[in-house]
Structure formats: C-alpha cells, structure tokens
C-alpha cells in the first residue's frame, strides 16, 4: 500500500498501526483522512478483516 500524496512516506506498519512521515506535507493534521492505493495483498487483507468497515458505493 502507498499514500496517494507523494509527499507522504510510510516509515513502518504493524497489523493495526502505520507510521507516516509528513515532514514534506504542510496540510496534514491529527484526525485527517489519508488515502492509499492498495496492491492485491493489501486489498485482500482489508476486505477479509472483521475490523475494517466496508462501505460499498
């Protein structure tokens, strides 16, 4: 998975946390929504997890 904003960088992740470097992005605040592009394995993991809310549009 990777952030859609190229100025954000994933530093590390576990099953329930993600650490993002936002040094080059001035418009990121606590509580903001960050969008990600998912590869197949990330999509599969999120869609089969009971802890992820799914909203079908």
């Amino acid at each position: 998975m990777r952030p859609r904003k190229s100025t954000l960088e994933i530093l590390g992740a576990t099953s329930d946390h993600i650490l993002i470097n936002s040094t080059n992005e001035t418009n990121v605040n606590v509580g903001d929504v960050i969008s990600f592009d998912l590869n197949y394995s990330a999509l599969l993991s999120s869609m089969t997890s009971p802890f992820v809310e799914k909203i079908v549009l």
Side-chain angles (χ1 to χ4, degrees):
M1 110 177 168
R2 63 183 133 74
R4 287 194 170 169
K5 286 188 176 185
S6 61
T7 54
L8 299 176
E9 174 190 12
I10 296 176
L11 299 177
T14 65
S15 61
D16 61 344
H17 288 83
I18 186 166
L19 198 62
I20 297 175
N21 178 3
S22 62
T23 304
N24 298 324
E25 178 64 46
T26 58
N27 295 325
V28 176
N29 296 302
V30 172
D32 285 353
V33 174
I34 298 175
S35 298
F36 294 88
D37 288 322
L38 304 177
N39 62 18
Y40 180 78
S41 62
L43 179 62
L44 180 63
S45 294
S46 65
M47 294 306 288
T48 58
S49 172
F51 305 107
V52 176
E53 179 182 8
K54 290 97 175 164
I55 300 172
V56 179
L57 301 176

